[in-house]
Amino acid sequence: MTRAAVVTVSDGVSQGTREDRSGDQAEAILAEAGFDVTERRVVPDERVGIEAVLRELASANALIVTTGGTGFGPRDVTPEATRAVIDREAPGLAELMRTAGLAHTPMASLSRAVVGSLGSALIVNLPGSTKGVTESLEAVLPVLPHAVELLAGATGAHPGVHSTTSAPVAPTRVEAKAVRVIGDPPCRVGNAMTIVPGGEVRGTLGCAEFDAAAVEAAGEVLASGEPQTRTLHHELGDIEVFFEPHRPGPLLAIVSATDVARALRRHAPALGYRTVLVESRDERLAPGDGDRVVAIGDLARTDADAVVFTDHDAPGVTEGLAGLLRSPVGFLGVMGSRRHVAHYVDELRAQGFTDDDLARIRSPLGLDLGGRAPEEIAISIAAGLVAHAHGRDGGWLDRSADEPG
């Protein structure tokens, strides 16, 4: 998932006299759109502080959204702070947000919001109201994933409606952050790096010596699989650095763009899954569907991964199931009653698959919770994934004699 940060610029919120409703709204919208909101910050309406936090967050996040300080008030300085740190401005995105706001109120013309890039991070200024946050983010969300990909170095044709040709994989990485300074080394508490062992390095601990030592330590930390605090040395003093390894979670491939698929994608990240939509039919896609592949065969699969078919009438179900039964994928399920899925089972048996092979396919799918709405069905499937991961019998529908039709 794409890492994102939310910065609330507000004297009142920073002083504890106002609730951070706009920041909460921005985080909720980004999370639902598939972004991994890893950091939240609150700063007063002061240029120096805003600039500092933007520079810091840009080293570890692909997207930074700010909320507040974009108007005509004397302390509204977020646009000025943003322009001071960005490398390039993206006026089209800012105008897109203002145009969306004007459809609701002429006051949107007073917004001075700025959008631009700092390194490989995209910074987007949002208004300070929850309504303004919603209208502005919804206006630019359809293009944000591609903008972030381009900043990260992606090339090639522009994607269609939220579609890609391969599943995104969060890189194996180590986050390093200075937590204590001893003496007067060229580092401050909070300096941070994101290290992909053998690959990209973003951020700095303050000097080349510390950075080189952190890169060397990151490989050892990743191999251990456990967070560690290490002391790094410099002739002017030492720093204690907290290293946290991150490995991509198992993949949940959700086949077909359906309401159940969309609800399941919202729940899966909380269970530790990366998700990707598998859909060959462009007409089935909707804004917000995120990344997709066009065929299940485009995905690498391991025994920790899961595949769920959410439309038993979709084209290519038999072929997809056959390929998956030949793979090590750990969980395989198809929504639908036994009557709906029976002809697929017969076709697979005719291809030579045994009863033991076919027993890997769970259908009907999910735990027997009794729900019928898309969100309820998604929760049932998600609960089944948890039961499967822990080897427990939670009351599977395909093991029940009272199967719903």
Side-chain angles (χ1 to χ4, degrees):
M1 295 174 69
T2 301
R3 288 168 61 90
V6 175
V7 180
T8 300
V9 181
S10 167
D11 289 333
V13 176
S14 66
Q15 294 165 4
T17 59
R18 285 180 49 200
E19 293 183 36
D20 188 9
R21 292 190 178 128
S22 61
D24 292 341
Q25 182 76 348
E27 179 179 8
I29 293 172
L30 290 174
E32 185 171 353
F35 288 90
D36 180 17
V37 181
T38 59
E39 295 192 73
R40 291 275 300 271
R41 299 291 182 87
V42 176
V43 294
D45 293 277
E46 301 285 353
R47 268 192 63 169
V48 173
I50 300 168
E51 291 175 21
V53 77
L54 291 178
R55 288 192 178 98
E56 178 190 344
L57 292 173
S59 67
N61 295 277
L63 174 67
I64 304 166
V65 300
T66 70
T67 170
T70 61
F72 270 59
R75 290 184 61 78
D76 289 335
V77 295
T78 303
E80 286 73 22
T82 302
R83 282 198 175 95
V85 301
I86 59 176
D87 305 316
R88 296 182 297 171
E89 196 165 344
L93 291 175
E95 292 308 319
L96 184 60
M97 293 191 296
R98 274 186 278 274
T99 300
L102 285 169
H104 302 276
T105 172
M107 297 301 176
S109 61
L110 300 179
S111 171
R112 300 186 303 111
V114 170
V115 181
S117 61
L118 173 54
S120 59
L122 182 67
I123 301 175
V124 179
N125 294 165
L126 303 174
S129 68
T130 55
K131 184 172 182 290
V133 166
T134 300
E135 292 169 358
S136 296
L137 266 183
E138 288 181 348
V140 296
L141 271 176
V143 296
L144 283 186
H146 189 51
V148 168
E149 288 175 1
L150 291 173
L151 283 173
T155 59
H158 294 272
V161 182
H162 292 283
S163 65
T164 62
T165 56
S166 61
V169 179
T172 297
R173 68 190 191 279
V174 176
E175 304 289 347
K177 177 173 283 191
V179 295
R180 186 183 177 208
V181 174
I182 306 160
D184 190 27
C187 177
R188 295 293 177 263
V189 170
N191 282 15
M193 299 177 67
T194 299
I195 303 164
V196 178
E200 181 184 17
V201 177
R202 299 175 66 183
T204 180
L205 294 179
C207 69
E209 291 91 336
F210 283 146
D211 292 353
V215 169
E216 181 179 354
E220 299 170 1
V221 171
L222 187 64
S224 75
E226 297 294 332
Q228 299 179 22
T229 299
R230 295 195 175 193
T231 301
L232 306 184
H233 306 286
H234 189 278
E235 60 182 8
L236 298 178
D238 300 338
I239 58 173
E240 290 184 2
V241 180
F242 178 69
F243 291 88
E244 185 176 15
H246 296 267
R247 294 184 180 275
L251 178 69
L252 172 59
I254 306 173
V255 185
S256 297
T258 65
D259 288 341
V260 172
R262 296 177 182 108
L264 184 56
R265 291 193 83 180
R266 291 194 291 269
H267 293 296
L271 304 180
Y273 284 96
R274 302 176 284 123
T275 67
V276 64
L277 177 68
V278 181
E279 179 59 83
S280 61
R281 301 164 290 180
D282 289 345
E283 68 275 10
R284 297 293 296 268
L285 297 171
D289 275 345
D291 301 286
R292 65 134 174 183
V293 296
V294 298
I296 196 68
D298 294 337
L299 297 171
R301 299 173 296 272
T302 73
D303 59 5
D305 297 333
V307 180
V308 170
F309 288 76
T310 64
D311 179 5
H312 56 74
D313 290 327
V317 173
T318 301
E319 294 79 2
L321 289 172
L324 291 164
L325 288 174
R326 298 186 184 100
S327 79
V329 67
F331 181 95
L332 179 55
V334 182
M335 281 183 55
S337 67
R338 293 187 180 92
R339 173 174 56 83
H340 287 131
V341 180
H343 67 284
Y344 296 126
V345 173
D346 291 341
E347 291 170 4
L348 291 166
R349 187 175 283 114
Q351 293 181 28
F353 289 101
T354 67
D355 288 343
D356 287 341
D357 294 329
L358 298 173
R360 292 175 58 194
I361 304 172
R362 288 196 176 274
S363 185
L365 179 60
L367 300 191
D368 188 3
L369 305 182
R372 300 282 183 171
E375 192 76 29
E376 295 172 327
I377 295 170
I379 291 172
S380 167
I381 296 171
L385 291 169
V386 174
H388 173 81
H390 294 281
R392 302 298 293 270
D393 181 5
W396 286 93
L397 283 167
D398 68 335
R399 301 293 187 262
S400 169
D402 300 323
E403 171 218 335

